[in-house]
């Protein structure tokens, strides 16, 4: 497993990280799976207070209670469940962040969060207040670093200019190359870590039947999948390995966050970590499969 610095922080994170969102409700099974991942080199585990109405944080906290110093726990904040459970609302206020962190700390059974991420964001948010809240939580020792989870270039630019974010989590894959237009280079220049999610594009790059995706027609998605499979066949890799390695080839990407729910998912993720990087010619073949897309909104 390769490890990279999380931006300007002293936190070292595994190049493949564990996306906890899909974990089930069986704490014992989750404990086993999470410990297997840690034992085999994965150190970054990403959750959110939104997932399973907080139960996802609970299961992560239970699993790592005795091994807290060995893991980097990332969670997210900003979406508040309604009292009747009918959905959630976006609450980007300083006061809400200061309250929500206490609930996350309790569910995670820890006295600090390694990476606290704003779970969304718009230009209409009180950005300076949000940054002030994150900075206060750092000073209090409740979080070690903070970042945002966003695909909006205009929001990302504001936080780059106005804050000390350590990371940005964003969707990135061969079928979603929008971050390449400006975000990846900007974040690399500023030494801000990119945590990439969605490497498999809902499985469309890893064997699922083609369908339209973002602004790509079904035929274009199929072309991308064929290119991935061609590289996989030539290099004796799997399609999933090629799809994830495409994401990791960009120097701005610090870690690929892969959703893990089963032992097979974990085995696949670990195989990716052990697979040699793509060669330049392989990357070029993939890039030429379909035209890159760009952000149409929030520019």
């Amino acid at each position: 497993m390769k490890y990279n610095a999380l931006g300007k922080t002293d936190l070292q994170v595994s190049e493949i990280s564990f996306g906890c969102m899909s974990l089930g409700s069986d704490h014992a099974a989750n404990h086993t799976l999470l410990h297997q991942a840690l034992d085999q080199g994965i150190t970054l585990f990403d959750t959110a207070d939104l997932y399973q109405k907080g139960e996802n944080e609970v299961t992560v906290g239970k699993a790592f209670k005795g091994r807290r110093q060995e893991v980097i726990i990332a969670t997210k904040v900003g979406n508040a469940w309604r009292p009747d459970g009918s959905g959630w609302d976006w609450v980007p206020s300083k006061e809400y962040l200061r309250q929500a962190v206490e609930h996350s700390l309790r569910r995670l059974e820890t006295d600090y969060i390694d990476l606290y991420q704003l779970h969304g964001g718009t230009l209409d948010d009180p950005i300076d207040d949000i940054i002030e809240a994150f900075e206060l939580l750092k000073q209090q020792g409740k979080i070690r670093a903070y970042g945002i989870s966003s695909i909006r270039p205009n929001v990302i630019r504001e936080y780059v200019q106005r804050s000390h974010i350590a990371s940005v989590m964003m969707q990135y894959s061969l079928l979603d190359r929008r971050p390449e237009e400006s975000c990846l280079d900007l974040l690399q220049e500023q030494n801000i870590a990119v945590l990439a999610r969605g490497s498999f594009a809902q499985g469309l790059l890893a064997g699922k039947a083609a369908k339209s995706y973002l602004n790509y027609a079904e035929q274009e998605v199929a072309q991308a999948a064929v290119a991935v499979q061609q590289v996989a066949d030539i290099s004796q890799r799997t399609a999933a390995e090629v799809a994830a390695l495409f994401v990791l080839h960009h120097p701005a990407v610090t870690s690929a966050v892969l959703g893990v729910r089963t032992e097979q998912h974990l085995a696949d993720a670990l195989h990716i970590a052990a697979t040699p990087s793509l060669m330049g010619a392989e990357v070029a073949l993939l890039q030429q499969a379909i035209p890159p897309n760009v952000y149409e909104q929030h520019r």
Side-chain angles (χ1 to χ4, degrees):
M1 181 71 69
K2 181 180 178 183
Y3 299 89
N4 298 312
L6 187 76
K8 302 182 186 76
T9 75
D10 59 359
L11 301 175
Q12 293 287 320
V13 299
S14 51
E15 191 174 53
I16 297 296
S17 48
F18 193 123
C20 300
M21 183 176 70
S22 299
L23 288 173
S25 58
D26 186 331
H27 292 314
N30 294 340
H31 180 283
T32 298
L33 194 62
L34 290 164
H35 277 250
Q36 287 175 346
L38 178 57
D39 290 340
Q40 296 181 77
I42 292 177
T43 58
L44 175 59
F45 297 83
D46 179 74
T47 180
D49 59 4
L50 184 66
Y51 302 158
Q52 291 96 50
K53 298 182 179 179
E55 283 302 304
N56 199 264
E57 288 183 326
V58 170
T59 204
V60 172
K62 285 182 178 297
F64 292 133
K65 187 175 182 181
R67 304 182 68 178
R68 181 65 184 90
Q69 303 300 320
E70 300 177 54
V71 297
I72 303 296
I73 293 178
T75 192
K76 309 182 195 76
V77 64
N79 296 289
W81 280 98
R82 298 174 192 141
D84 63 3
S86 63
W88 61 86
D89 298 305
W90 178 238
V91 189
S93 71
K94 182 193 304 185
E95 188 57 34
Y96 178 71
L97 264 66
R98 293 174 63 179
Q99 294 173 4
V101 74
E102 300 298 338
H103 298 305
S104 287
L105 288 168
R106 186 183 69 251
R107 287 189 291 262
L108 289 164
E109 300 190 54
T110 182
D111 56 5
Y112 69 94
I113 292 164
D114 297 290
L115 177 63
Y116 205 34
Q117 303 160 100
L118 187 68
H119 203 173
T122 74
L123 291 182
D124 295 328
D125 297 340
I127 293 175
D128 288 332
D129 286 350
I130 292 169
I131 294 168
E132 187 176 326
F134 279 129
E135 291 289 348
L136 178 61
L137 294 177
K138 275 185 68 176
Q139 293 170 16
Q140 294 173 337
K142 294 177 180 179
I143 66 174
R144 298 176 70 185
Y146 65 92
I148 61 172
S149 177
S150 178
I151 61 171
R152 299 183 175 195
N154 55 5
V155 171
I156 291 169
R157 283 194 296 270
E158 289 301 312
Y159 280 90
V160 169
Q161 294 169 6
R162 295 157 69 172
S163 77
H164 297 101
I165 54 170
S167 64
V168 175
M169 179 176 286
M170 61 174 62
Q171 182 169 289
Y172 179 45
S173 73
L174 181 60
L175 285 171
D176 189 355
R177 293 174 60 193
R178 296 175 297 176
E180 292 179 1
E181 184 183 8
S182 63
C183 291
L184 294 183
D185 288 344
L186 171 64
L187 295 170
Q188 185 183 5
E189 289 168 5
Q190 298 297 319
N191 195 15
I192 295 170
V194 173
L195 305 178
R197 60 177 178 82
S199 301
F200 306 139
Q202 298 178 355
L204 296 171
L205 297 172
K208 283 194 175 180
K211 64 176 182 177
S212 59
Y213 183 79
L214 297 178
N215 62 320
Y216 290 121
E218 180 179 328
Q219 182 179 356
E220 293 174 302
V221 172
Q223 289 173 203
V226 166
V228 169
Q229 192 60 55
Q230 286 177 337
V231 172
D233 291 341
I234 293 169
S235 60
Q236 295 185 317
R237 299 182 179 102
T238 67
E241 288 167 355
V242 171
L245 291 173
F246 175 82
V247 169
L248 290 170
H249 95 276
H250 198 291
V253 175
T254 299
S255 185
V257 182
L258 305 181
V260 177
R261 183 171 50 86
T262 66
E263 289 190 358
Q264 186 59 55
H265 291 160
L266 176 58
D268 293 342
L270 292 167
H271 284 153
I272 292 166
T275 302
S277 302
L278 294 179
M279 304 293 287
E282 294 171 326
V283 172
L285 189 155
L286 296 170
Q287 291 173 331
Q288 293 163 11
I290 52 173
N293 45 3
V294 297
Y295 288 113
E296 298 176 356
Q297 299 178 325
H298 313 295
R299 296 178 60 88

